[in-house]
Amino acid sequence: MSDPGPTTAESQKAPESPENTEPPENPDGTRIPTPPKAAARRAGLLVTLVLGGLTALPPLSMDMYLPALPEVTDALHSPAATVQLTLTACLVGMALGQLVVGPMSDKWGRRRPLLIGMVIYILATAVCAVAPTAPLLIGFRLIQGLAGAAGIVIARAVVRDLYDGIAMARFFSTLMLISGVAPVVAPLIGGQILRLTDWRGVFVLLTVIGILLTLVVWRWLHETLPPDRRHAGGLGDALRTMRSLLADRVFAGYTLAGGLAFGALFAYISASPFVVQDIYGASPQTFSLLFGINSIGLVAVGQLNGKVLVGRVSLDKALAVGLTVITLASVALLLMTAGVFGEPGLAPIAVGLFVLMSAMGLAMPNTNAQALMRSRDAAGSASALLGTSTFLLGAIASPLVGIAGEHTAVPMAVVQLACALAAVAAFVGLCRPWQRRNETMS
């Protein structure tokens, strides 16, 4: 694509207002009234909460279920490896579903595909709650992931519809405050549910959450893509749009940089339970505490990015700092786990993981914002490519951390460093921020 994104002046103006934009339409063609100016701030907060809920639903669906895995194995009389496929199926569904829902939202608007996806999510989750066999549970977890992907991809597309430049980067940082907490609290919620009922209760609660979120979306999330900006083509047009996005060197660079940074994060998520507990002898309570502290670091730096840095420092500079810190933390972790400094103990490893995960608060929102600024007229397809690359790269990184067994943390550090270096290469080699002077946002 040749569109370099919005200029600085464009990036600082309000994306839509009642004076210059026709009210959006419902799927049935009726107009949705635009909130008056007096209610703009309240409406903005409501949109933030709704989009935060949509982006939090997938990690809730994945992580709330984790404490129940041993119980599911016993209840369904299936091997642990088979039950693990219920996680894989959901993750694959979330990755592939975005490729379908994103172009649909560019063609039909945001509300209709989102509501359809949420209804399917509710039905699939309800079936998971009563599934009598592991294969049936795996199948409907795949459907659950495919449908749940609608919330992820459309939430990002809605942000692109509403915001440009600085405002968009700030909004993504705000979303991290909501969605970043979900992976932390989800296992805790799942554990408490298991104190009251069995594993099926987890899916019952997810069904209720899905119903409530669908009602909130139906009532309060307005259509953000006007009819004159929608794509009329079918599958072929969607594929051509995605191909043109990937042909845009800068978009591809930010997409790869963000996905690879997430790969380093997912290597931590996958390996940290056995690294912290099995190798360094920490208790499950200590592991939970460290995981929570690291997540707080990610959210805090994300807020620092949105509230302090954005508007004062260019997005590319903030992203460069984030990728540099991730790389340095990965180098430190590799040296420590390889025994270069002797036996480090848990404390230095925990500090390295904290620094690495916190720096994601600079990398993730800024790669999303910069990539989506290249694709105002195809935000759904661009969001789908962003999300799919992130999940797929995370899925590739995850099994590699255990390639040398459960008695060394070196593979985790190697995967993290490889992802970090590749992310830096994508940023420097493809994005080439020094060549795009018109996109500075200081």
Side-chain angles (χ1 to χ4, degrees):
M1 294 177 65
S2 59
D3 179 17
T7 63
T8 303
E10 290 172 336
S11 69
Q12 300 188 36
K13 68 181 180 181
E16 294 184 15
S17 64
E19 291 80 11
N20 59 16
T21 305
E22 291 186 357
E25 292 183 344
N26 275 314
D28 59 5
T30 60
R31 294 289 186 184
I32 300 174
T34 304
K37 281 186 176 181
R41 185 174 182 179
R42 183 176 61 188
L45 176 61
L46 185 59
V47 169
T48 302
L49 294 175
V50 173
L51 297 183
L54 291 173
T55 55
L57 187 60
L60 285 176
S61 302
M62 290 287 295
D63 298 340
M64 194 185 297
Y65 174 64
L66 293 178
L69 285 177
E71 186 177 326
V72 176
T73 300
D74 295 335
L76 299 183
H77 308 290
S78 297
T82 300
V83 174
Q84 286 284 350
L85 290 177
T86 62
L87 294 176
T88 304
C90 189
L91 183 63
V92 170
M94 289 178 186
L96 299 181
Q98 296 184 64
L99 291 177
V100 177
V101 178
M104 286 173 58
S105 73
D106 284 338
K107 181 178 180 180
W108 295 336
R110 311 305 183 202
R111 276 174 56 90
R112 190 187 309 178
L114 177 57
L115 289 171
I116 292 173
M118 291 301 298
V119 170
I120 296 174
Y121 173 89
I122 293 169
L123 296 175
T125 307
V127 174
C128 288
V130 297
T133 65
L136 187 64
L137 181 59
I138 293 170
F140 276 90
R141 283 284 279 176
L142 176 64
I143 297 173
Q144 184 191 41
L146 288 167
I152 310 173
V153 67
I154 292 180
R156 274 195 302 264
V158 168
V159 174
R160 182 63 187 98
D161 293 339
L162 296 177
Y163 298 98
D164 280 320
I166 292 173
M168 180 164 53
R170 284 177 174 159
F171 198 96
F172 276 126
S173 295
T174 302
L175 281 184
M176 290 187 66
L177 182 62
I178 301 174
S179 60
V181 174
V184 180
V185 302
L188 301 177
I189 295 173
Q192 294 305 309
I193 292 174
L194 294 179
R195 294 170 63 93
L196 303 174
T197 181
D198 62 5
W199 64 273
R200 299 183 187 275
V202 174
F203 289 107
V204 172
L205 179 59
L206 287 172
T207 302
V208 173
I209 293 174
I211 292 172
L212 294 177
L213 190 54
T214 301
L215 292 175
V216 169
V217 169
W218 177 77
R219 175 64 180 83
W220 282 295
L221 186 62
H222 298 170
E223 178 59 67
T224 59
L225 185 67
D228 60 346
R229 285 177 47 204
R230 297 178 188 175
H231 294 190
L235 176 61
D237 183 67
L239 293 176
R240 283 190 294 271
T241 299
M242 289 187 176
R243 184 175 61 187
S244 66
L245 285 169
L246 292 175
D248 177 7
R249 170 178 52 79
V250 179
F251 174 86
Y254 285 120
T255 300
L256 282 174
L260 288 163
F262 187 81
L265 174 61
F266 217 82
Y268 157 76
I269 294 173
S270 301
S272 59
F274 87 85
V275 169
V276 174
Q277 297 180 79
D278 295 347
I279 297 178
Y280 292 99
S283 66
Q285 291 74 25
T286 300
F287 165 72
S288 299
L289 176 63
L290 292 177
F291 194 91
I293 291 173
N294 290 345
S295 299
I296 291 172
L298 186 152
V299 172
V301 174
Q303 295 310 293
L304 174 68
N305 177 74
K307 305 297 184 183
V308 178
L309 298 181
V310 173
R312 295 179 175 88
V313 178
S314 74
L315 302 187
D316 282 324
K317 287 182 180 178
L319 174 57
V321 170
L323 293 177
T324 300
V325 173
I326 292 170
T327 303
L328 293 176
S330 300
V331 170
L333 284 167
L334 179 58
L335 294 176
M336 287 188 291
T337 56
V340 174
F341 306 118
E343 180 58 42
L346 178 59
I349 298 296
V351 171
L353 291 173
F354 174 80
V355 172
L356 183 145
M357 193 165 179
S358 297
M360 297 292 172
L362 292 176
M364 294 166 66
N366 291 325
T367 51
N368 282 340
Q370 291 285 62
L372 287 173
M373 274 193 285
R374 309 285 300 184
S375 54
R376 180 170 180 82
D377 294 329
S381 297
S383 178
L385 291 172
L386 278 170
T388 299
S389 64
T390 296
F391 276 96
L392 289 180
L393 287 169
I396 292 171
S398 178
L400 296 178
V401 298
I403 198 169
E406 300 179 358
H407 304 292
T408 174
V410 171
M412 177 192 74
V414 169
V415 171
Q416 289 172 333
L417 181 57
C419 288
L421 291 174
V424 171
F427 177 60
V428 174
L430 296 177
C431 300
R432 302 175 191 172
W434 62 87
Q435 293 182 354
R436 304 187 334 274
R437 298 174 185 175
N438 63 325
E439 290 187 357
T440 55
M441 299 176 186
S442 56

